[in-house]
Amino acid sequence: MTTPTTIVIFGASGDLARRKLIPGLYNNFCKGRLPMPFSIIGYSRSDIPQADFQARMCDSVKEFSPSSFDETKWAEFAPSLDYSAGSFDDDVAFDKLNKKIQAIETELGGEGNRLYYLSIAPRFFRPVVAQLHEHGMSQEHNDLWRRVIVEKPFGHDLASAQALNNDLHKLLDEDQIYRIDHYLAKETVQNLLVFRFANTIFEPVWNRNYIDHVQITAAETVDVGHRAGYYDSSGVLRDMFQNHLMQLLALVAMEPPTSFQANAVRDEKGKVLKAIRPLTDETIQTQSVLSQYDGYLDAEGVAADSKTPTYAALELYIDNWRWKDVPFYLRSGKALEQKATEIIIWFKKPPHLMFPIPDDQEIASNYLAICIQPHEGLHLRFEVKVPDTDSDMRSVDMDFHYSDAFSKAEIPEAYERLQLEALEGDATLFTRSDGIEAAWTIIDGVIQRYASENAPAVGRYEIGSWGPSESDDMLGKGGREWRYGCGEHS
Ligand code: BG6
C-alpha cells in the first residue's frame, strides 16, 4: 500500500472552499492526479453531518465546475469527503480532528502525509497553526510531510506580515509553508517563465536598451459588492498590488534563474523586488494616483468618509543594470470598463527613421502584449508597409491565442494547479517570506505616505470608465499612454 494523504480544509463551509477548493480537488481526482489513497476533511464551526457536507460539495461542483461534473465520478470521489466541526482554537475539537485523521489513516493503510489548507480569516492563522503544533499534527517525521497552505491576505502591512512570518517560523519550517497568490497559478502567468526563458529571441531585447517602459494592468468590471466591509479596510493597494501586481512585475523583470527549482526562482524574484526604488514624499506626488469609483461610499460596510482607493496607478523603477530608468507603470481598479489583466512591453522607437512621415506624425512603437485574462495570448505589434504606396506604414498585430492552439479544456482553474504543486512539495508557485516582505516594503511605503498630510488627494472616477484622468496624465507627462493591447477575440 502507498502512503495515504489527508487534506484538511479549514474554513470548509466558506465561499472559497465551495467555489474553488472542492471543485479543484474533484477535477484533480477526475484527472487521476490526487495521491492515492487520499481523504479530504472539511473543518469549520458549523455543525454539518457528513452526508450533508458531501451533498453541499456536490452542489458546489455542479455549480462551479459544471462541465466536469459526472455522477459516476462523483460517486467515486464523495466517500473520501469527511467533515469535522469545531472552532479554530478549540483544544477538544482539534483532538477530535486528529483522532479522526488517525482513524482514516489506519483504514487507508497507516500514518500518512497531511496538507492543511487555511481558507480562513487571517486572525485565525496563528491559532490554527498553534493547535496543529500542540496536537503534534504539524511535526514532520519518518519521511512523512506536513504542509500548510496559507491564503491571502498575508499581513495588513509590512510589520504585521513580518510578525506573522516570525510566528509561523516558530512552529513550522519555511519549506512547510505555502503562501498562496492565485495569480501565480494562472496558466498565462506561468507561461511568462516559459516565454522568457525557453526562447532565445526575446531575452536579448528584454532590457533598458530596447524597452521604453512596461505597463501592467489588472482591471476589473466588478465593484466591491458584498465584500465592502473587508475591502474598506484593505483597498486596492493591499488587495491587488502587494500580491498579484508585484508578482507579475517580478516575473517580467527578474533575472533568469539557474533552474526551475522553487528557491532558484524565488531567489531571483526576491532580488528584483528588493531592487524596486521606494516612493518618497516627493515622488509620490507624480508617480502615484489613487482614486475611488463614484458611489463607493454608498456601499454597505464602507465608512462615510472613507479614503480607501478602489483604483491605483504607480510608476515604479527598478534600480539594477537591466532596468535602470525604465518606468514600470502598474494599474488596477474595480468598476472599470473591462475585465483585463495584461502586461505590455513597450519598445523604443527606431533611433533613426529613413522613411518620410508627415511632420505632425510619429512612428508607432512596437509592443508585445502579454494577455493574462480573459483573452489569453500574445500580441506583437509592428509596422508594415501599406501596399501600393511609396512608404506609408501601418501597425499590425501578430497574434497567438491560447484558445486557437489549445482547447479551452486544457486551461485548468488556478487552484487545481496550486493544490497539485503543494501535494508534490513544489513551492515555485508560492511566495516565500522574503518575497512577501519585499513587496510589502514598497506598497506599505505608498500607503503610509498617503496617510500623511501632504499626500495627494484620493480622487474619483466614473463607474465603467478606464479610471481617473490623473492616471492618464501620469503617463502623459512622459509622452506615453495606457494601452489596452489584447482586444476581443472570439
Ligand atoms: C483577489 C482580490 O485576490 O483577486 C479580489 O481579493 C479580486 O478583489 C481578485 O477581485 C481578482 O482575481 P481574478 O483571478 O478574477 O483576476
Side-chain angles (χ1 to χ4, degrees), residues 468-480:
S469 59
E470 292 85 345
S471 175
D472 299 325
D473 300 343
M474 187 177 89
L475 267 71
K477 71 181 167 9
R480 304 179 176 111

Side-chain angles (χ1 to χ4, degrees), residues 26 54 57 61 66 76 78 102 118 142 208 258 283 285 288 291 299 327 343 363 391 408 420 435 445 462-463 474:
Y26 168 75
Q54 291 176 349
M57 295 303 117
V61 176
E76 287 171 35
Q102 285 163 343
L118 309 192
N142 304 341
R208 67 191 304 275
T258 47
T283 56
Q285 306 289 342
S288 73
S291 200
I343 299 168
I363 183 162
S391 62
K408 194 76 183 158
L420 286 183
E462 223 176 286
I463 291 183
M474 187 177 89

Side-chain angles (χ1 to χ4, degrees), residues 104-148:
I104 294 173
E105 284 178 339
T106 307
E107 232 173 78
L108 296 179
E111 197 182 2
N113 297 313
R114 295 184 189 179
L115 179 64
Y116 302 111
Y117 198 118
L118 309 192
S119 173
I120 50 183
R123 66 180 186 284
F124 298 124
F125 292 165
R126 285 180 179 87
V128 168
V129 170
Q131 284 292 338
L132 292 174
H133 183 80
E134 267 163 43
H135 289 85
M137 297 164 75
S138 58
Q139 291 81 342
E140 301 192 316
H141 58 276
N142 304 341
D143 286 339
L144 296 173
W145 53 256
R146 304 281 180 259
R147 297 179 189 138
V148 179

